[in-house]
Amino acid sequence: MARRSHLTHVGCIACDEMEELGAGEREGWLDDPGLLAALHPHALALAHSARSLVLVLGWDRDPDPSSPRQPLKIRPSLAADEGHISAIEWLPFGDLLALALATSAGHLFVYSLTGDLIHKQIIHSGRVLRLRFRETKVGSSQDSVASMELCVVLPGVIARFDGSDIQSLLQRWFQEERSRIFENRFQNRNTVDENSYGRIPFQLWNVSKFGSCADAAITGLMPPPLLELQSSQRYYCAVAIGEDAAISAYRLSEDRSRSLVGAILSKVVPATFSTLASFSKMLWRSEQTSPKKPRLKPQPFAKASPLTCLKDPPRKGEKLTLSPGGTLAAITDSLGRILLLDTQALVVVRLWKGYRDACCLFIEMLVNRDKASSSAYYEHTKGDYCLCLAIHAPRKGIIEIWKMRTGPRVLTIQCPKGSKILQPSTRFVSSTSSYIPLEVFLLNGDSGQLSVLNRSFG
């Protein structure tokens, strides 16, 4: 009997343009630390930091008018003080789709699928380690979107952009773009001033209490601490990993003066500084200053309260991935272990050993297959799937599927050397199913073939 494959081919991205990113130069070219990848349900974006090139490739799982038919090249015009590309991520908002690039100097760039620069602004001085777009849903319906956010991770710093603010900017840009095309007025759109559409507001927190972080994520909302003033302000939980502390957690506040002490100081300190400011104006009024280009002031940090940390030298946290609801986090460390963290209780609930250089992604697998056989018109619901963890062990050449939280290993998949597992930041939209499960894709670096892991165990 033929051996069953647990992978389904969905597309191929092989093209001559990929040679500019180093494809074919050596076996395992996808493992290049300078190569960045971001997957969308209809396109794959690949970038190389050293070559300052972004390649957007369409793949035809289901033909979609919005997906690029030809490879799109984006060559950002980065000044010396803007650094080089260090992170990429898709920004999907229904019919609006854009690509976000971040640099080693803390700048954020947003590009359209036609290669036009939409927006740029500086977030914070330092290298952007990760861009993480999340879509939080409540319920099982496709339209039950609660919120969207873009999390930006720098060494010891986390920034959060609300999805509605980014969506508003994209809507204004696309509306003006349609008007520009209608009026047949073409201009160089690759030179966008930082204040063209105003700065996108964001929150900034310092999470370096236990050392600089290598990766971090905002897991979701959390209740306010005791003795805090009652208000409409929200509090977030953030998990960071790094060298000094393998795992650390923080409570992030949107308001920098929510604590009881902060409320008292907010009444006393302004009066003191007002007096000092008046006195300083008298001293400096007579001095003439030479005209200079105005510089944006660094955004102050909002309040970040440390909750807990795990220090276990020589263990160092390396990569972090969140479950769909943000209640679980899979963390890989320098000792070849994988820790499963309950982000609500802030407790490690499971540990795997012997997985050096591993990459983890959460996946939803079909468990109630008997219901489908009873009716030809049965549609799977959220209850028919269970949450699992896909562990790609490149040194072993396999992908293992483990049932959450304490379930067994249910599947082992052989994969070719030089492969990479990917996951879209949003789920694939389908008109034939009421619930869209979380999927994991496998990119074969040698052939350019893109496959999806099958949803069933058997």
Side-chain angles (χ1 to χ4, degrees):
M1 185 173 63
R3 187 175 181 179
R4 180 178 178 181
S5 173
H6 296 283
L7 297 172
T8 300
H9 174 71
V10 295
C12 185
I13 63 169
C15 60
D16 296 337
E17 288 80 0
M18 291 185 63
E19 295 181 359
E20 298 185 48
L21 294 175
E25 291 183 357
R26 63 178 179 85
E27 188 179 20
W29 66 277
L30 282 178
D31 299 329
D32 186 348
L35 187 67
L36 310 169
L39 184 65
H40 179 263
H42 294 292
L44 173 66
L46 295 173
H48 202 290
S49 58
R51 309 186 188 204
S52 190
L53 171 66
V54 182
L55 197 60
V56 180
L57 307 162
W59 54 277
D60 296 329
R61 183 182 191 177
D62 284 326
D64 185 88
S66 63
S67 61
R69 301 268 67 84
Q70 297 295 330
L72 169 67
K73 293 182 182 180
I74 301 176
R75 296 185 184 274
S77 300
L78 300 178
D81 59 346
E82 293 175 341
H84 57 266
I85 303 173
S86 60
I88 62 173
E89 179 62 294
W90 287 103
L91 302 177
F93 296 96
D95 295 334
L96 302 178
L97 179 61
L99 183 65
L101 311 178
T103 71
S104 57
H107 288 260
L108 177 68
F109 295 80
V110 180
Y111 283 86
S112 70
L113 285 186
T114 56
D116 298 323
L117 179 60
I118 298 176
H119 180 76
K120 71 174 182 179
Q121 75 179 67
I122 186 169
I123 303 171
H124 187 75
S125 59
R127 178 186 179 88
V128 175
L129 303 173
R130 181 79 176 265
L131 292 175
R132 194 189 303 269
F133 183 88
R134 286 191 64 211
E135 181 180 82
T136 305
K137 294 187 177 183
V138 178
S140 58
S141 63
Q142 187 65 27
D143 298 328
S144 57
V145 178
S147 65
M148 291 174 285
E149 66 180 19
L150 177 66
C151 178
V152 184
V153 182
L154 299 91
V157 175
I158 295 181
R160 180 187 181 274
F161 290 82
D162 193 274
S164 60
D165 295 325
I166 302 176
Q167 185 177 14
S168 177
L169 179 139
L170 294 179
Q171 288 174 342
R172 296 198 306 271
W173 188 88
F174 281 106
Q175 287 175 358
E176 292 187 10
E177 182 69 6
R178 284 192 291 267
S179 300
R180 192 180 296 115
I181 294 176
F182 179 77
E183 297 173 4
N184 198 24
R185 292 184 302 172
F186 297 96
Q187 60 182 5
N188 184 13
R189 294 184 291 267
N190 211 26
T191 57
V192 173
D193 184 72
E194 187 165 349
N195 297 318
S196 297
Y197 296 93
R199 285 171 55 83
I200 305 177
F202 64 94
Q203 290 282 317
L204 194 67
W205 295 277
N206 186 343
V207 291
S208 61
K209 173 71 175 181
F210 304 110
S212 181
C213 62
D215 198 359
I218 297 176
T219 63
L221 294 172
M222 69 179 307
L226 297 176
L227 302 179
E228 287 290 312
L229 299 178
Q230 297 298 321
S231 71
S232 59
Q233 298 295 328
R234 291 176 295 181
Y235 296 84
Y236 301 94
C237 178
V239 174
I241 61 174
E243 295 186 2
D244 299 323
I247 304 175
S248 57
Y250 298 82
R251 177 186 285 109
L252 309 179
S253 171
E254 281 190 326
D255 191 348
R256 289 177 288 116
S257 59
R258 295 317 307 164
S259 66
L260 185 61
V261 175
I264 297 174
L265 292 178
S266 65
K267 303 296 183 181
V268 179
V269 174
T272 304
F273 276 96
S274 177
T275 304
L276 294 175
S278 300
F279 181 71
S280 62
K281 287 181 180 179
M282 296 175 59
L283 296 177
W284 291 92
R285 187 174 298 168
S286 59
E287 295 190 8
Q288 300 294 329
T289 58
S290 58
K292 294 182 180 180
K293 184 179 179 180
R295 297 183 61 185
L296 293 175
K297 296 175 59 178
Q299 179 162 322
F301 291 114
K303 182 181 177 181
S305 304
L307 298 175
T308 186
C309 77
L310 170 63
K311 292 188 175 183
D312 184 23
R315 186 197 305 271
K316 300 177 183 179
E318 294 183 342
K319 288 179 287 188
L320 181 151
T321 185
L322 286 179
S323 65
T327 57
L328 292 174
I331 301 169
T332 61
D333 65 19
S334 57
L335 302 181
R337 299 173 182 176
I338 301 172
L339 295 84
L340 185 65
L341 177 71
D342 184 324
T343 61
Q344 296 177 326
L346 297 178
V347 174
V348 175
V349 295
R350 194 164 187 178
L351 177 69
W352 290 267
K353 297 181 179 180
Y355 292 88
R356 290 193 179 274
D357 303 327
C359 180
C360 302
L361 290 173
F362 286 94
I363 184 174
E364 289 175 322
M365 303 292 287
L366 186 64
V367 290
N368 294 333
R369 290 178 297 164
D370 296 336
K371 293 183 179 180
S373 60
S374 61
S375 174
Y377 302 100
Y378 178 79
E379 290 187 358
H380 292 293
T381 63
K382 185 176 181 180
D384 297 326
Y385 296 90
C386 69
L387 184 65
C388 298
L389 182 66
I391 303 176
H392 178 211
R395 296 194 179 191
K396 301 178 181 180
I398 59 173
I399 298 175
E400 296 180 348
I401 309 294
W402 292 78
K403 194 173 181 180
M404 296 289 96
R405 294 185 173 189
T406 57
R409 180 178 59 191
V410 296
L411 194 61
T412 300
I413 304 172
Q414 299 290 330
C415 59
K417 187 178 180 180
S419 300
K420 188 181 186 71
I421 59 173
L422 301 169
Q423 190 170 65
S425 54
T426 55
R427 305 190 185 213
F428 183 83
V429 179
S430 173
S431 58
T432 60
S433 177
S434 58
Y435 179 74
I436 309 301
L438 193 66
E439 296 179 311
V440 171
F441 294 77
L442 179 69
L443 176 61
N444 187 331
D446 293 335
S447 64
Q449 179 174 312
L450 187 67
S451 305
V452 62
L453 275 63
N454 293 341
R455 302 173 183 174
S456 59
F457 295 151

